[in-house]
Amino acid sequence: DPRSRNNNWIKALSLGTAACMMIGGLFWWNRYRALNYTVEMDVNPSIELRVNKAEKVISAEALNKDAQIILEDMKLKGVDAIIGSMVKNGYLSELSNSILLTVESDDHQKSVEVTDRLTNEINAALDSFGGSVIAQQVVSDNDLQNMAGDYGISEGKAALIRNILNELPMLKAEDLAEMSINDLNLLASSKQIALSNTTTTGSAS
């Protein structure tokens, strides 16, 4: 029956179209929504950016009250805009020029590449007074999450504190948690300690 064959052809075509749309939708989700890596920036404001595979920021979260000031009414939540807002609001200056950059990804090579790129971007943004960037690659674990929760700090700052304690075990985590990133930078520099998976550019003011 010609009509039956036509109906079968239409059904097959419809199923094929639906399958293509589903595959296309999954590709779109994977590329534009799936998390690729996480970036945390700490000064006193602590901000977390989640970035997708298309290098687009899919969320920006203020991790403390100071960070809410930085992100308030900000439409463009890129690194340059956030650094500019930190300078404008006085959190980064000649007197306190250190920022902690933390990159978390399952792909270590990706973490290194992103860290290098963002370090250069931040240094360029702070060129007027010379910034100091502590850049680290981190893999989250229960200890970091617990430390961050206990002291009300980001996982990035918790990772830096744990790194310092590995070299200076006589210190206390609760004391370090109260210190600014600039003071932690000065501490690490004065003790000339080598922090694992961490690079520091510039000098703390």
Side-chain angles (χ1 to χ4, degrees):
D1 185 350
R3 285 184 300 179
S4 178
R5 286 197 298 270
N6 286 339
N7 287 337
N8 289 339
W9 170 250
I10 292 171
K11 289 179 181 178
L13 185 61
S14 297
L15 289 172
T17 302
C20 289
M21 291 176 66
M22 182 179 295
I23 293 170
L26 289 173
F27 174 80
W28 181 90
W29 175 265
N30 184 57
R31 180 167 177 77
Y32 291 99
R33 297 300 303 172
L35 178 66
N36 193 15
Y37 58 88
T38 299
V39 174
E40 285 183 358
M41 290 181 286
D42 286 274
V43 179
N44 181 36
S46 294
I47 295 170
E48 181 184 88
L49 303 178
R50 297 167 70 84
V51 183
N52 67 9
K53 292 187 176 182
E55 293 296 323
K56 300 295 183 183
V57 175
I58 56 178
S59 71
E61 181 180 358
L63 301 180
N64 57 16
K65 290 182 178 179
D66 287 335
Q68 293 173 5
I69 297 172
I70 297 301
L71 294 180
E72 187 177 12
D73 298 327
M74 185 181 291
K75 295 181 180 179
L76 178 62
K77 296 182 175 68
V79 171
D80 287 345
I82 290 172
I83 296 300
S85 184
M86 286 185 178
V87 172
K88 178 182 176 181
N89 286 281
Y91 292 106
L92 281 168
S93 67
E94 292 182 10
L95 299 178
S96 182
N97 69 340
S98 300
I99 181 170
L100 173 64
L101 170 69
T102 304
V103 178
E104 180 185 340
S105 173
D106 293 334
D107 184 341
H108 178 70
Q109 183 59 38
K110 181 70 175 180
S111 291
V112 173
E113 292 173 359
V114 172
T115 301
D116 290 344
R117 173 167 56 82
L118 294 184
T119 297
N120 290 333
E121 287 185 23
I122 293 171
N123 278 324
L126 300 179
D127 183 61
S128 61
F129 54 80
S132 180
V133 181
I134 309 169
Q136 59 182 1
Q137 295 91 43
V138 169
V139 177
S140 181
D141 57 43
N142 288 335
D143 288 341
L144 278 184
Q145 293 169 11
N146 290 335
M147 183 186 289
D150 289 343
Y151 299 118
I153 58 178
S154 70
E155 288 188 32
K157 188 174 181 179
L160 177 62
I161 289 172
R162 186 170 68 178
N163 218 341
I164 292 173
L165 289 174
N166 286 338
E167 300 295 325
L168 302 172
M170 74 290 296
L171 300 180
K172 295 181 179 180
E174 55 264 34
D175 295 332
L176 297 180
E178 294 294 326
M179 295 173 66
S180 69
I181 297 301
N182 202 69
D183 287 341
L184 291 173
N185 195 2
L186 286 169
L187 172 65
S189 176
S190 66
K191 298 297 183 181
Q192 297 182 334
I193 57 178
L195 302 175
S196 60
N197 295 317
T198 302
T199 57
T200 301
T201 59
S203 299
S205 55

